[in-house]
Amino acid sequence: DNPGFYTVIALRSDLISECARFKNFTALINNCNFLVPRMTEESIKDAIEGPLIKAGVKIDNDLLRQLAAECNTRADQLPILQHTMMRLWTRWKELDEPDRPLDFSDYASAGDMEDAISVDADEVYLKLSPDSRKICEKLFKIITGKGSDNKGIRYPSNVKTIWSAIRCKREELTQVIDKFRDPSLSVLTPD
């Protein structure tokens, strides 16, 4: 009965209800689910510091504590932490001071966790042409929203659906999407 291999399926908690459409899959989930526990502040510190240590870079202890504390306040902060760390790393590398640890000056110039992604997205948006900005606004209205609890909701979609709703040239839409898919930003990710 044991096939010798296992399949691990990871689902975001906000999408579990989507599985109800598939009767057998729902039964599988009910029989074998495992909720990943929330990271402790220490494990968050390790997740921040570990890659830096491998790169031979130090981080100021007070900044490390603040990042871990900010990340620990909400369960959905890991992607935001990842983006913040990417911005911190980029700003620190630009200064080309390899013996200096990452510190609050880097954090201040990179933007804090509260607005790190929106700062980057705004920078990209402001570089768009007026026509591309209109496409961008329509795009994000299609793929995002707010729930009754005022939390952000993502509505995954495909280019064909978005394109038919926006009614622009496909190349124009692709150019806007590509700006937000850039690995240095990664606001949009393909499935």
Side-chain angles (χ1 to χ4, degrees), residues 14 40 44 49 54 57-58 62 72 87 103 109 125 127 133 150 155 176 178 180 187:
D14 60 329
T40 65
I44 293 169
E49 199 170 31
K54 282 193 182 258
V57 177
K58 291 184 167 74
D62 292 334
N72 207 23
R87 285 182 58 87
D103 61 25
S109 71
Y125 176 79
K127 291 177 184 174
R133 285 183 187 178
N150 209 29
Y155 301 112
V176 170
D178 286 347
F180 289 92
V187 170

Side-chain angles (χ1 to χ4, degrees), residues 87-129:
R87 285 182 58 87
L88 272 168
W89 177 260
T90 301
R91 301 286 194 235
W92 180 83
K93 289 290 278 182
E94 287 171 356
L95 294 174
D96 196 25
E97 299 171 347
D99 295 331
R100 184 182 62 80
L102 277 136
D103 61 25
F104 278 100
S105 66
D106 302 304
Y107 188 55
S109 71
D112 61 20
M113 282 186 54
E114 189 67 32
D115 60 337
I117 294 174
S118 63
V119 167
D120 271 351
D122 287 346
E123 287 175 7
V124 171
Y125 176 79
L126 292 173
K127 291 177 184 174
L128 296 174
S129 70

Side-chain angles (χ1 to χ4, degrees), residues 47-63:
I48 293 169
E49 199 170 31
L52 293 172
I53 289 171
K54 282 193 182 258
V57 177
K58 291 184 167 74
I59 184 168
D60 176 83
N61 283 329
D62 292 334
L63 176 58

Side-chain angles (χ1 to χ4, degrees), residues 32-102:
C32 61
N33 64 48
F34 176 77
L35 295 176
V36 177
R38 191 174 178 153
M39 292 176 72
T40 65
E41 197 163 318
E42 278 308 307
S43 61
I44 293 169
K45 286 180 186 177
D46 290 343
I48 293 169
E49 199 170 31
L52 293 172
I53 289 171
K54 282 193 182 258
V57 177
K58 291 184 167 74
I59 184 168
D60 176 83
N61 283 329
D62 292 334
L63 176 58
L64 178 62
R65 276 191 294 277
Q66 179 167 333
L67 288 168
E70 286 181 34
C71 189
N72 207 23
T73 60
R74 287 181 39 199
D76 61 350
Q77 288 293 92
L78 284 178
I80 295 169
L81 174 64
Q82 176 187 3
H83 191 87
T84 302
M85 291 306 297
M86 179 185 66
R87 285 182 58 87
L88 272 168
W89 177 260
T90 301
R91 301 286 194 235
W92 180 83
K93 289 290 278 182
E94 287 171 356
L95 294 174
D96 196 25
E97 299 171 347
D99 295 331
R100 184 182 62 80
L102 277 136

Side-chain angles (χ1 to χ4, degrees), residues 1 9 15 67 77 100 107 116 120 128 132 142-143 168 186:
D1 197 36
I9 299 172
L15 296 177
L67 288 168
Q77 288 293 92
R100 184 182 62 80
Y107 188 55
D120 271 351
L128 296 174
S132 292
I142 292 169
I143 64 172
C168 64
S186 297

